[in-house]
PDB file of all heavy atoms in Angstrom:
ATOM      1  N   GLN L   1      77.557 102.357  76.413  1.00  0.00           N
ATOM      2  CA  GLN L   1      78.448 103.462  76.730  1.00  0.00           C
ATOM      3  C   GLN L   1      79.839 102.977  76.329  1.00  0.00           C
ATOM      4  O   GLN L   1      80.311 101.966  76.835  1.00  0.00           O
ATOM      5  CB  GLN L   1      78.387 103.808  78.216  1.00  0.00           C
ATOM      6  CG  GLN L   1      76.975 104.103  78.709  1.00  0.00           C
ATOM      7  CD  GLN L   1      76.350 105.283  78.011  1.00  0.00           C
ATOM      8  OE1 GLN L   1      76.876 106.385  78.027  1.00  0.00           O
ATOM      9  NE2 GLN L   1      75.210 105.049  77.359  1.00  0.00           N
ATOM     10  N   ILE L   2      80.471 103.677  75.416  1.00  0.00           N
ATOM     11  CA  ILE L   2      81.717 103.206  74.809  1.00  0.00           C
ATOM     12  C   ILE L   2      82.890 103.989  75.383  1.00  0.00           C
ATOM     13  O   ILE L   2      82.923 105.216  75.287  1.00  0.00           O
ATOM     14  CB  ILE L   2      81.667 103.370  73.278  1.00  0.00           C
ATOM     15  CG1 ILE L   2      80.433 102.661  72.715  1.00  0.00           C
ATOM     16  CG2 ILE L   2      82.949 102.854  72.642  1.00  0.00           C
ATOM     17  CD1 ILE L   2      80.105 103.022  71.283  1.00  0.00           C
ATOM     18  N   GLU L   3      83.824 103.269  75.980  1.00  0.00           N
ATOM     19  CA  GLU L   3      85.035 103.884  76.506  1.00  0.00           C
ATOM     20  C   GLU L   3      86.222 103.277  75.786  1.00  0.00           C
ATOM     21  O   GLU L   3      86.284 102.067  75.585  1.00  0.00           O
ATOM     22  CB  GLU L   3      85.158 103.637  78.009  1.00  0.00           C
ATOM     23  CG  GLU L   3      84.064 104.301  78.813  1.00  0.00           C
ATOM     24  CD  GLU L   3      84.219 104.099  80.310  1.00  0.00           C
ATOM     25  OE1 GLU L   3      85.326 103.707  80.758  1.00  0.00           O
ATOM     26  OE2 GLU L   3      83.238 104.330  81.027  1.00  0.00           O
ATOM     27  N   GLY L   4      87.166 104.133  75.395  1.00  0.00           N
ATOM     28  CA  GLY L   4      88.329 103.642  74.674  1.00  0.00           C
ATOM     29  C   GLY L   4      89.604 104.299  75.143  1.00  0.00           C
ATOM     30  O   GLY L   4      89.604 105.441  75.609  1.00  0.00           O
ATOM     31  N   ARG L   5      90.699 103.536  75.031  1.00  0.00           N
ATOM     32  CA  ARG L   5      92.038 104.045  75.328  1.00  0.00           C
ATOM     33  C   ARG L   5      92.881 103.875  74.068  1.00  0.00           C
ATOM     34  O   ARG L   5      92.931 102.786  73.491  1.00  0.00           O
ATOM     35  CB  ARG L   5      92.664 103.294  76.496  1.00  0.00           C
ATOM     36  CG  ARG L   5      92.027 103.649  77.835  1.00  0.00           C
ATOM     37  CD  ARG L   5      92.807 103.086  79.015  1.00  0.00           C
ATOM     38  NE  ARG L   5      93.115 101.663  78.898  1.00  0.00           N
ATOM     39  CZ  ARG L   5      92.314 100.678  79.298  1.00  0.00           C
ATOM     40  NH1 ARG L   5      91.162 100.969  79.847  1.00  0.00           N
ATOM     41  NH2 ARG L   5      92.673  99.425  79.159  1.00  0.00           N
ATOM     42  N   ILE L   6      93.558 104.940  73.697  1.00  0.00           N
ATOM     43  CA  ILE L   6      94.366 104.949  72.473  1.00  0.00           C
ATOM     44  C   ILE L   6      95.838 104.898  72.866  1.00  0.00           C
ATOM     45  O   ILE L   6      96.301 105.730  73.657  1.00  0.00           O
ATOM     46  CB  ILE L   6      94.090 106.222  71.645  1.00  0.00           C
ATOM     47  CG1 ILE L   6      92.591 106.401  71.403  1.00  0.00           C
ATOM     48  CG2 ILE L   6      94.877 106.194  70.345  1.00  0.00           C
ATOM     49  CD1 ILE L   6      92.194 107.792  70.967  1.00  0.00           C
ATOM     50  N   GLN L   7      96.550 103.927  72.307  1.00  0.00           N
ATOM     51  CA  GLN L   7      97.981 103.792  72.598  1.00  0.00           C
ATOM     52  C   GLN L   7      98.747 103.668  71.287  1.00  0.00           C
ATOM     53  O   GLN L   7      98.292 102.983  70.361  1.00  0.00           O
ATOM     54  CB  GLN L   7      98.247 102.540  73.445  1.00  0.00           C
ATOM     55  CG  GLN L   7      97.511 102.539  74.761  1.00  0.00           C
ATOM     56  CD  GLN L   7      97.585 101.190  75.459  1.00  0.00           C
ATOM     57  OE1 GLN L   7      97.897 100.172  74.850  1.00  0.00           O
ATOM     58  NE2 GLN L   7      97.306 101.189  76.751  1.00  0.00           N
ATOM     59  N   ALA L   8      99.912 104.314  71.242  1.00  0.00           N
ATOM     60  CA  ALA L   8     100.772 104.179  70.066  1.00  0.00           C
ATOM     61  C   ALA L   8     101.324 102.755  70.028  1.00  0.00           C
ATOM     62  O   ALA L   8     101.655 102.173  71.058  1.00  0.00           O
ATOM     63  CB  ALA L   8     101.908 105.187  70.133  1.00  0.00           C
ATOM     64  N   GLN L   9     101.370 102.211  68.815  1.00  0.00           N
ATOM     65  CA  GLN L   9     101.934 100.873  68.642  1.00  0.00           C
ATOM     66  C   GLN L   9     102.650 100.854  67.297  1.00  0.00           C
ATOM     67  O   GLN L   9     101.986 100.838  66.251  1.00  0.00           O
ATOM     68  CB  GLN L   9     100.871  99.788  68.707  1.00  0.00           C
ATOM     69  CG  GLN L   9     101.450  98.412  68.525  1.00  0.00           C
ATOM     70  CD  GLN L   9     100.382  97.330  68.621  1.00  0.00           C
ATOM     71  OE1 GLN L   9      99.240  97.578  68.948  1.00  0.00           O
ATOM     72  NE2 GLN L   9     100.784  96.118  68.311  1.00  0.00           N
ATOM     73  N   GLY L  10     103.955 100.843  67.326  1.00  0.00           N
ATOM     74  CA  GLY L  10     104.715 100.889  66.089  1.00  0.00           C
ATOM     75  C   GLY L  10     104.405 102.161  65.330  1.00  0.00           C
ATOM     76  O   GLY L  10     104.449 103.258  65.880  1.00  0.00           O
ATOM     77  N   ARG L  11     104.049 102.008  64.049  1.00  0.00           N
ATOM     78  CA  ARG L  11     103.681 103.174  63.223  1.00  0.00           C
ATOM     79  C   ARG L  11     102.213 103.533  63.353  1.00  0.00           C
ATOM     80  O   ARG L  11     101.761 104.522  62.796  1.00  0.00           O
ATOM     81  CB  ARG L  11     104.000 102.881  61.764  1.00  0.00           C
ATOM     82  CG  ARG L  11     105.463 102.748  61.493  1.00  0.00           C
ATOM     83  CD  ARG L  11     105.692 102.553  60.024  1.00  0.00           C
ATOM     84  NE  ARG L  11     107.077 102.216  59.781  1.00  0.00           N
ATOM     85  CZ  ARG L  11     107.522 101.746  58.662  1.00  0.00           C
ATOM     86  NH1 ARG L  11     106.696 101.526  57.652  1.00  0.00           N
ATOM     87  NH2 ARG L  11     108.796 101.472  58.519  1.00  0.00           N
ATOM     88  N   GLY L  12     101.454 102.700  64.037  1.00  0.00           N
ATOM     89  CA  GLY L  12     100.019 102.928  64.156  1.00  0.00           C
ATOM     90  C   GLY L  12      99.571 103.070  65.589  1.00  0.00           C
ATOM     91  O   GLY L  12     100.274 103.617  66.437  1.00  0.00           O
ATOM     92  N   SER L  13      98.385 102.538  65.854  1.00  0.00           N
ATOM     93  CA  SER L  13      97.786 102.650  67.189  1.00  0.00           C
ATOM     94  C   SER L  13      97.053 101.374  67.552  1.00  0.00           C
ATOM     95  O   SER L  13      96.633 100.609  66.680  1.00  0.00           O
ATOM     96  CB  SER L  13      96.767 103.790  67.223  1.00  0.00           C
ATOM     97  OG  SER L  13      97.360 105.010  66.906  1.00  0.00           O
ATOM     98  N   GLN L  14      96.890 101.217  68.833  1.00  0.00           N
ATOM     99  CA  GLN L  14      96.053 100.148  69.378  1.00  0.00           C
ATOM    100  C   GLN L  14      94.983 100.826  70.218  1.00  0.00           C
ATOM    101  O   GLN L  14      95.294 101.674  71.052  1.00  0.00           O
ATOM    102  CB  GLN L  14      96.893  99.193  70.217  1.00  0.00           C
ATOM    103  CG  GLN L  14      96.133  97.977  70.668  1.00  0.00           C
ATOM    104  CD  GLN L  14      97.041  96.993  71.380  1.00  0.00           C
ATOM    105  OE1 GLN L  14      97.903  97.385  72.144  1.00  0.00           O
ATOM    106  NE2 GLN L  14      96.834  95.720  71.125  1.00  0.00           N
ATOM    107  N   ILE L  15      93.742 100.470  69.965  1.00  0.00           N
ATOM    108  CA  ILE L  15      92.617 101.101  70.662  1.00  0.00           C
ATOM    109  C   ILE L  15      91.885 100.024  71.445  1.00  0.00           C
ATOM    110  O   ILE L  15      91.315  99.104  70.857  1.00  0.00           O
ATOM    111  CB  ILE L  15      91.657 101.779  69.657  1.00  0.00           C
ATOM    112  CG1 ILE L  15      92.443 102.713  68.729  1.00  0.00           C
ATOM    113  CG2 ILE L  15      90.559 102.542  70.393  1.00  0.00           C
ATOM    114  CD1 ILE L  15      91.799 102.946  67.400  1.00  0.00           C
ATOM    115  N   GLU L  16      91.931 100.133  72.762  1.00  0.00           N
ATOM    116  CA  GLU L  16      91.219  99.192  73.625  1.00  0.00           C
ATOM    117  C   GLU L  16      89.853  99.781  73.925  1.00  0.00           C
ATOM    118  O   GLU L  16      89.750 100.898  74.434  1.00  0.00           O
ATOM    119  CB  GLU L  16      91.997  98.960  74.918  1.00  0.00           C
ATOM    120  CG  GLU L  16      93.324  98.275  74.698  1.00  0.00           C
ATOM    121  CD  GLU L  16      94.120  98.122  75.976  1.00  0.00           C
ATOM    122  OE1 GLU L  16      93.565  98.375  77.068  1.00  0.00           O
ATOM    123  OE2 GLU L  16      95.297  97.756  75.879  1.00  0.00           O
ATOM    124  N   ILE L  17      88.813  99.024  73.622  1.00  0.00           N
ATOM    125  CA  ILE L  17      87.445  99.530  73.732  1.00  0.00           C
ATOM    126  C   ILE L  17      86.632  98.644  74.656  1.00  0.00           C
ATOM    127  O   ILE L  17      86.724  97.420  74.605  1.00  0.00           O
ATOM    128  CB  ILE L  17      86.780  99.606  72.346  1.00  0.00           C
ATOM    129  CG1 ILE L  17      87.554 100.598  71.473  1.00  0.00           C
ATOM    130  CG2 ILE L  17      85.309  99.998  72.458  1.00  0.00           C
ATOM    131  CD1 ILE L  17      87.093 100.669  70.047  1.00  0.00           C
ATOM    132  N   GLU L  18      85.835  99.290  75.506  1.00  0.00           N
ATOM    133  CA  GLU L  18      84.891  98.580  76.364  1.00  0.00           C
ATOM    134  C   GLU L  18      83.517  99.209  76.168  1.00  0.00           C
ATOM    135  O   GLU L  18      83.364 100.430  76.240  1.00  0.00           O
ATOM    136  CB  GLU L  18      85.301  98.660  77.829  1.00  0.00           C
ATOM    137  CG  GLU L  18      84.343  97.915  78.732  1.00  0.00           C
ATOM    138  CD  GLU L  18      84.749  97.941  80.195  1.00  0.00           C
ATOM    139  OE1 GLU L  18      85.622  98.725  80.580  1.00  0.00           O
ATOM    140  OE2 GLU L  18      84.151  97.159  80.958  1.00  0.00           O
ATOM    141  N   MET L  19      82.538  98.366  75.903  1.00  0.00           N
ATOM    142  CA  MET L  19      81.149  98.805  75.776  1.00  0.00           C
ATOM    143  C   MET L  19      80.387  98.213  76.946  1.00  0.00           C
ATOM    144  O   MET L  19      80.454  97.006  77.183  1.00  0.00           O
ATOM    145  CB  MET L  19      80.538  98.323  74.460  1.00  0.00           C
ATOM    146  CG  MET L  19      81.178  98.886  73.244  1.00  0.00           C
ATOM    147  SD  MET L  19      80.235  98.388  71.786  1.00  0.00           S
ATOM    148  CE  MET L  19      81.415  98.733  70.513  1.00  0.00           C
ATOM    149  N   LYS L  20      79.667  99.058  77.667  1.00  0.00           N
ATOM    150  CA  LYS L  20      78.914  98.583  78.819  1.00  0.00           C
ATOM    151  C   LYS L  20      77.673  99.445  79.017  1.00  0.00           C
ATOM    152  O   LYS L  20      77.505 100.472  78.366  1.00  0.00           O
ATOM    153  CB  LYS L  20      79.797  98.606  80.068  1.00  0.00           C
ATOM    154  CG  LYS L  20      80.399  99.957  80.372  1.00  0.00           C
ATOM    155  CD  LYS L  20      81.413  99.868  81.479  1.00  0.00           C
ATOM    156  CE  LYS L  20      82.067 101.222  81.702  1.00  0.00           C
ATOM    157  NZ  LYS L  20      83.098 101.174  82.704  1.00  0.00           N
ATOM    158  N   LEU L  21      76.824  98.987  79.914  1.00  0.00           N
ATOM    159  CA  LEU L  21      75.616  99.741  80.239  1.00  0.00           C
ATOM    160  C   LEU L  21      75.954 100.928  81.132  1.00  0.00           C
ATOM    161  O   LEU L  21      76.958 100.913  81.856  1.00  0.00           O
ATOM    162  CB  LEU L  21      74.613  98.840  80.963  1.00  0.00           C
ATOM    163  CG  LEU L  21      74.023  97.689  80.164  1.00  0.00           C
ATOM    164  CD1 LEU L  21      73.160  96.816  81.062  1.00  0.00           C
ATOM    165  CD2 LEU L  21      73.220  98.198  78.987  1.00  0.00           C
ATOM    166  N   HIS L  22      75.098 101.926  81.112  1.00  0.00           N
ATOM    167  CA  HIS L  22      75.248 103.081  81.993  1.00  0.00           C
ATOM    168  C   HIS L  22      75.096 102.605  83.439  1.00  0.00           C
ATOM    169  O   HIS L  22      74.222 101.775  83.736  1.00  0.00           O
ATOM    170  CB  HIS L  22      74.179 104.123  81.651  1.00  0.00           C
ATOM    171  CG  HIS L  22      74.418 105.441  82.281  1.00  0.00           C
ATOM    172  ND1 HIS L  22      74.140 105.696  83.599  1.00  0.00           N
ATOM    173  CD2 HIS L  22      74.944 106.589  81.776  1.00  0.00           C
ATOM    174  CE1 HIS L  22      74.458 106.944  83.886  1.00  0.00           C
ATOM    175  NE2 HIS L  22      74.947 107.502  82.787  1.00  0.00           N
ATOM    176  N   PRO L  23      75.919 103.100  84.369  1.00  0.00           N
ATOM    177  CA  PRO L  23      75.838 102.656  85.774  1.00  0.00           C
ATOM    178  C   PRO L  23      74.446 102.822  86.404  1.00  0.00           C
ATOM    179  O   PRO L  23      74.016 101.971  87.182  1.00  0.00           O
ATOM    180  CB  PRO L  23      76.864 103.529  86.501  1.00  0.00           C
ATOM    181  CG  PRO L  23      77.831 103.930  85.438  1.00  0.00           C
ATOM    182  CD  PRO L  23      77.038 104.013  84.161  1.00  0.00           C
ATOM    183  N   ALA L  24      73.728 103.887  86.062  1.00  0.00           N
ATOM    184  CA  ALA L  24      72.386 104.088  86.620  1.00  0.00           C
ATOM    185  C   ALA L  24      71.430 102.984  86.156  1.00  0.00           C
ATOM    186  O   ALA L  24      70.566 102.543  86.924  1.00  0.00           O
ATOM    187  CB  ALA L  24      71.843 105.460  86.227  1.00  0.00           C
ATOM    188  N   VAL L  25      71.588 102.526  84.930  1.00  0.00           N
ATOM    189  CA  VAL L  25      70.743 101.448  84.401  1.00  0.00           C
ATOM    190  C   VAL L  25      71.053 100.147  85.141  1.00  0.00           C
ATOM    191  O   VAL L  25      70.142  99.393  85.501  1.00  0.00           O
ATOM    192  CB  VAL L  25      70.947 101.282  82.872  1.00  0.00           C
ATOM    193  CG1 VAL L  25      70.237 100.058  82.352  1.00  0.00           C
ATOM    194  CG2 VAL L  25      70.490 102.535  82.144  1.00  0.00           C
ATOM    195  N   ILE L  26      72.324  99.899  85.401  1.00  0.00           N
ATOM    196  CA  ILE L  26      72.710  98.692  86.137  1.00  0.00           C
ATOM    197  C   ILE L  26      72.117  98.702  87.536  1.00  0.00           C
ATOM    198  O   ILE L  26      71.556  97.696  87.998  1.00  0.00           O
ATOM    199  CB  ILE L  26      74.246  98.548  86.180  1.00  0.00           C
ATOM    200  CG1 ILE L  26      74.779  98.258  84.776  1.00  0.00           C
ATOM    201  CG2 ILE L  26      74.667  97.449  87.160  1.00  0.00           C
ATOM    202  CD1 ILE L  26      76.289  98.265  84.662  1.00  0.00           C
ATOM    203  N   ILE L  27      72.190  99.836  88.212  1.00  0.00           N
ATOM    204  CA  ILE L  27      71.629  99.941  89.575  1.00  0.00           C
ATOM    205  C   ILE L  27      70.119  99.714  89.541  1.00  0.00           C
ATOM    206  O   ILE L  27      69.571  98.946  90.339  1.00  0.00           O
ATOM    207  CB  ILE L  27      71.974 101.310  90.196  1.00  0.00           C
ATOM    208  CG1 ILE L  27      73.483 101.374  90.485  1.00  0.00           C
ATOM    209  CG2 ILE L  27      71.166 101.548  91.472  1.00  0.00           C
ATOM    210  CD1 ILE L  27      73.986 102.754  90.845  1.00  0.00           C
ATOM    211  N   PHE L  28      69.423 100.379  88.611  1.00  0.00           N
ATOM    212  CA  PHE L  28      67.976 100.211  88.506  1.00  0.00           C
ATOM    213  C   PHE L  28      67.606  98.757  88.244  1.00  0.00           C
ATOM    214  O   PHE L  28      66.706  98.203  88.876  1.00  0.00           O
ATOM    215  CB  PHE L  28      67.391 101.108  87.411  1.00  0.00           C
ATOM    216  CG  PHE L  28      65.943 100.857  87.156  1.00  0.00           C
ATOM    217  CD1 PHE L  28      64.981 101.401  87.994  1.00  0.00           C
ATOM    218  CD2 PHE L  28      65.525 100.044  86.115  1.00  0.00           C
ATOM    219  CE1 PHE L  28      63.630 101.153  87.784  1.00  0.00           C
ATOM    220  CE2 PHE L  28      64.185  99.788  85.891  1.00  0.00           C
ATOM    221  CZ  PHE L  28      63.239 100.342  86.729  1.00  0.00           C
ATOM    222  N   MET L  29      68.306  98.132  87.297  1.00  0.00           N
ATOM    223  CA  MET L  29      68.000  96.746  86.947  1.00  0.00           C
ATOM    224  C   MET L  29      68.278  95.793  88.114  1.00  0.00           C
ATOM    225  O   MET L  29      67.535  94.828  88.312  1.00  0.00           O
ATOM    226  CB  MET L  29      68.775  96.316  85.698  1.00  0.00           C
ATOM    227  CG  MET L  29      68.306  96.976  84.417  1.00  0.00           C
ATOM    228  SD  MET L  29      66.555  96.712  84.044  1.00  0.00           S
ATOM    229  CE  MET L  29      66.517  94.949  83.762  1.00  0.00           C
ATOM    230  N   CYS L  30      69.324  96.052  88.876  1.00  0.00           N
ATOM    231  CA  CYS L  30      69.603  95.207  90.052  1.00  0.00           C
ATOM    232  C   CYS L  30      68.468  95.289  91.066  1.00  0.00           C
ATOM    233  O   CYS L  30      68.019  94.265  91.596  1.00  0.00           O
ATOM    234  CB  CYS L  30      70.932  95.615  90.698  1.00  0.00           C
ATOM    235  SG  CYS L  30      72.384  95.059  89.799  1.00  0.00           S
ATOM    236  N   VAL L  31      67.999  96.494  91.329  1.00  0.00           N
ATOM    237  CA  VAL L  31      66.889  96.667  92.276  1.00  0.00           C
ATOM    238  C   VAL L  31      65.630  96.005  91.728  1.00  0.00           C
ATOM    239  O   VAL L  31      64.953  95.242  92.427  1.00  0.00           O
ATOM    240  CB  VAL L  31      66.648  98.173  92.569  1.00  0.00           C
ATOM    241  CG1 VAL L  31      65.364  98.387  93.354  1.00  0.00           C
ATOM    242  CG2 VAL L  31      67.845  98.762  93.303  1.00  0.00           C
ATOM    243  N   TRP L  32      65.304  96.294  90.475  1.00  0.00           N
ATOM    244  CA  TRP L  32      64.087  95.761  89.873  1.00  0.00           C
ATOM    245  C   TRP L  32      64.130  94.238  89.810  1.00  0.00           C
ATOM    246  O   TRP L  32      63.160  93.566  90.185  1.00  0.00           O
ATOM    247  CB  TRP L  32      63.909  96.369  88.477  1.00  0.00           C
ATOM    248  CG  TRP L  32      62.576  96.094  87.862  1.00  0.00           C
ATOM    249  CD1 TRP L  32      61.383  96.677  88.203  1.00  0.00           C
ATOM    250  CD2 TRP L  32      62.292  95.156  86.820  1.00  0.00           C
ATOM    251  NE1 TRP L  32      60.382  96.166  87.412  1.00  0.00           N
ATOM    252  CE2 TRP L  32      60.912  95.230  86.565  1.00  0.00           C
ATOM    253  CE3 TRP L  32      63.064  94.284  86.077  1.00  0.00           C
ATOM    254  CZ2 TRP L  32      60.295  94.460  85.594  1.00  0.00           C
ATOM    255  CZ3 TRP L  32      62.446  93.508  85.101  1.00  0.00           C
ATOM    256  CH2 TRP L  32      61.073  93.608  84.876  1.00  0.00           C
ATOM    257  N   LEU L  33      65.238  93.675  89.347  1.00  0.00           N
ATOM    258  CA  LEU L  33      65.350  92.221  89.264  1.00  0.00           C
ATOM    259  C   LEU L  33      65.366  91.576  90.648  1.00  0.00           C
ATOM    260  O   LEU L  33      64.882  90.457  90.818  1.00  0.00           O
ATOM    261  CB  LEU L  33      66.606  91.820  88.473  1.00  0.00           C
ATOM    262  CG  LEU L  33      66.544  92.074  86.975  1.00  0.00           C
ATOM    263  CD1 LEU L  33      67.901  91.835  86.333  1.00  0.00           C
ATOM    264  CD2 LEU L  33      65.476  91.226  86.311  1.00  0.00           C
ATOM    265  N   GLY L  34      65.904  92.283  91.635  1.00  0.00           N
ATOM    266  CA  GLY L  34      65.882  91.763  93.003  1.00  0.00           C
ATOM    267  C   GLY L  34      64.461  91.627  93.530  1.00  0.00           C
ATOM    268  O   GLY L  34      64.092  90.606  94.124  1.00  0.00           O
ATOM    269  N   ILE L  35      63.662  92.643  93.293  1.00  0.00           N
ATOM    270  CA  ILE L  35      62.263  92.612  93.748  1.00  0.00           C
ATOM    271  C   ILE L  35      61.476  91.541  92.999  1.00  0.00           C
ATOM    272  O   ILE L  35      60.761  90.731  93.601  1.00  0.00           O
ATOM    273  CB  ILE L  35      61.613  94.007  93.574  1.00  0.00           C
ATOM    274  CG1 ILE L  35      62.263  95.006  94.541  1.00  0.00           C
ATOM    275  CG2 ILE L  35      60.110  93.936  93.781  1.00  0.00           C
ATOM    276  CD1 ILE L  35      61.908  96.449  94.270  1.00  0.00           C
ATOM    277  N   VAL L  36      61.623  91.519  91.674  1.00  0.00           N
ATOM    278  CA  VAL L  36      60.907  90.531  90.864  1.00  0.00           C
ATOM    279  C   VAL L  36      61.419  89.116  91.177  1.00  0.00           C
ATOM    280  O   VAL L  36      60.644  88.155  91.200  1.00  0.00           O
ATOM    281  CB  VAL L  36      61.045  90.864  89.361  1.00  0.00           C
ATOM    282  CG1 VAL L  36      60.518  89.759  88.493  1.00  0.00           C
ATOM    283  CG2 VAL L  36      60.313  92.161  89.055  1.00  0.00           C
ATOM    284  N   GLY L  37      62.714  89.000  91.433  1.00  0.00           N
ATOM    285  CA  GLY L  37      63.288  87.700  91.788  1.00  0.00           C
ATOM    286  C   GLY L  37      62.701  87.139  93.064  1.00  0.00           C
ATOM    287  O   GLY L  37      62.476  85.924  93.179  1.00  0.00           O
ATOM    288  N   GLN L  38      62.439  88.012  94.026  1.00  0.00           N
ATOM    289  CA  GLN L  38      61.791  87.562  95.266  1.00  0.00           C
ATOM    290  C   GLN L  38      60.398  87.023  94.966  1.00  0.00           C
ATOM    291  O   GLN L  38      59.974  86.018  95.532  1.00  0.00           O
ATOM    292  CB  GLN L  38      61.724  88.693  96.276  1.00  0.00           C
ATOM    293  CG  GLN L  38      63.054  89.005  96.906  1.00  0.00           C
ATOM    294  CD  GLN L  38      62.955  90.153  97.890  1.00  0.00           C
ATOM    295  OE1 GLN L  38      62.041  90.980  97.842  1.00  0.00           O
ATOM    296  NE2 GLN L  38      63.913  90.203  98.807  1.00  0.00           N
ATOM    297  N   GLY L  39      59.682  87.692  94.080  1.00  0.00           N
ATOM    298  CA  GLY L  39      58.359  87.207  93.689  1.00  0.00           C
ATOM    299  C   GLY L  39      58.448  85.858  92.988  1.00  0.00           C
ATOM    300  O   GLY L  39      57.616  84.973  93.211  1.00  0.00           O
ATOM    301  N   ALA L  40      59.482  85.672  92.172  1.00  0.00           N
ATOM    302  CA  ALA L  40      59.661  84.390  91.484  1.00  0.00           C
ATOM    303  C   ALA L  40      59.984  83.283  92.483  1.00  0.00           C
ATOM    304  O   ALA L  40      59.516  82.149  92.338  1.00  0.00           O
ATOM    305  CB  ALA L  40      60.761  84.511  90.434  1.00  0.00           C
ATOM    306  N   LEU L  41      60.757  83.615  93.509  1.00  0.00           N
ATOM    307  CA  LEU L  41      61.062  82.625  94.549  1.00  0.00           C
ATOM    308  C   LEU L  41      59.805  82.244  95.329  1.00  0.00           C
ATOM    309  O   LEU L  41      59.619  81.091  95.707  1.00  0.00           O
ATOM    310  CB  LEU L  41      62.139  83.144  95.500  1.00  0.00           C
ATOM    311  CG  LEU L  41      63.559  83.169  94.931  1.00  0.00           C
ATOM    312  CD1 LEU L  41      64.513  83.844  95.904  1.00  0.00           C
ATOM    313  CD2 LEU L  41      64.027  81.763  94.599  1.00  0.00           C
ATOM    314  N   MET L  42      58.940  83.232  95.551  1.00  0.00           N
ATOM    315  CA  MET L  42      57.666  82.932  96.221  1.00  0.00           C
ATOM    316  C   MET L  42      56.836  81.991  95.358  1.00  0.00           C
ATOM    317  O   MET L  42      56.153  81.108  95.867  1.00  0.00           O
ATOM    318  CB  MET L  42      56.896  84.219  96.527  1.00  0.00           C
ATOM    319  CG  MET L  42      57.525  85.007  97.660  1.00  0.00           C
ATOM    320  SD  MET L  42      56.749  86.593  98.092  1.00  0.00           S
ATOM    321  CE  MET L  42      55.153  86.561  97.406  1.00  0.00           C
TER     322      MET L  42
END
């Protein structure tokens, strides 16, 4: 998921970009890895 901020800089621009996972995917993976991690600890 690509988020960017555009700022004027001199005659041009500066674009700050962040690429990250969708928040729902992060939540799902945290739950899934938490459950599987408990099994690995066992």
Side-chain angles (χ1 to χ4, degrees):
Q1 305 299 302
I2 305 166
E3 295 182 16
R5 288 190 310 273
I6 308 163
Q7 301 169 342
Q9 180 179 353
R11 293 184 189 166
S13 300
Q14 187 174 40
I15 308 154
E16 295 177 10
I17 297 174
E18 181 178 13
M19 296 187 196
K20 56 189 176 183
L21 294 174
H22 192 282
V25 172
I26 292 173
I27 291 169
F28 173 80
M29 290 303 294
C30 284
V31 170
W32 191 74
L33 288 172
I35 292 168
V36 171
Q38 286 179 338
L41 286 174
M42 287 178 18

